[in-house]
Amino acid sequence: MNRSELVAALAERAEVTRKDADAVLAAFAEVVGEVVAKGDEKVTIPGFLTFERTHRAARTARNPQTGDPIQIPAGYSAKVSAGSKLKEAAKGA
């Protein structure tokens, strides 16, 4: 399912226009992005998803072409965890 299909499904389910559904989806993505970028809290939709920022430590890796070790600096990444209801839906229950 791509974005336009998701917007159409949301609009039909919530009985709103596609424009309104798209605006809500865009606002949701923007808010989640802002909260994750700050990193001081996580966004949780109980039973569905949790979004949070995680810290990755600096590490040594190898250049696959030359085999030389290279340093990869510490950084941040986004972590998305499935909730219990989403996991059950994925199992087909």
Side-chain angles (χ1 to χ4, degrees):
M1 176 179 277
N2 61 29
R3 182 185 174 102
S4 62
E5 293 170 341
L6 178 60
V7 167
L10 288 171
E12 183 179 327
R13 183 76 53 98
E15 297 179 358
V16 297
T17 65
R18 285 186 183 198
K19 185 176 180 180
D20 290 341
D22 188 51
V24 169
L25 185 60
F28 174 75
E30 187 176 317
V31 169
V32 169
E34 289 172 359
V35 171
V36 169
K38 287 180 187 174
D40 55 351
E41 61 183 321
K42 55 186 174 181
V43 177
T44 302
I45 303 171
F48 185 60
L49 289 173
T50 300
F51 303 90
E52 64 184 308
R53 183 170 95 165
T54 59
H55 182 269
R56 287 188 315 210
R59 62 193 188 278
T60 302
R62 294 212 174 264
N63 181 331
Q65 290 183 335
T66 64
D68 295 337
I70 56 173
Q71 292 297 318
I72 299 175
Y76 295 98
S77 65
K79 177 181 175 185
V80 180
S81 303
S84 58
K85 291 179 185 175
L86 184 59
K87 288 179 182 178
E88 286 298 317
K91 290 179 183 176

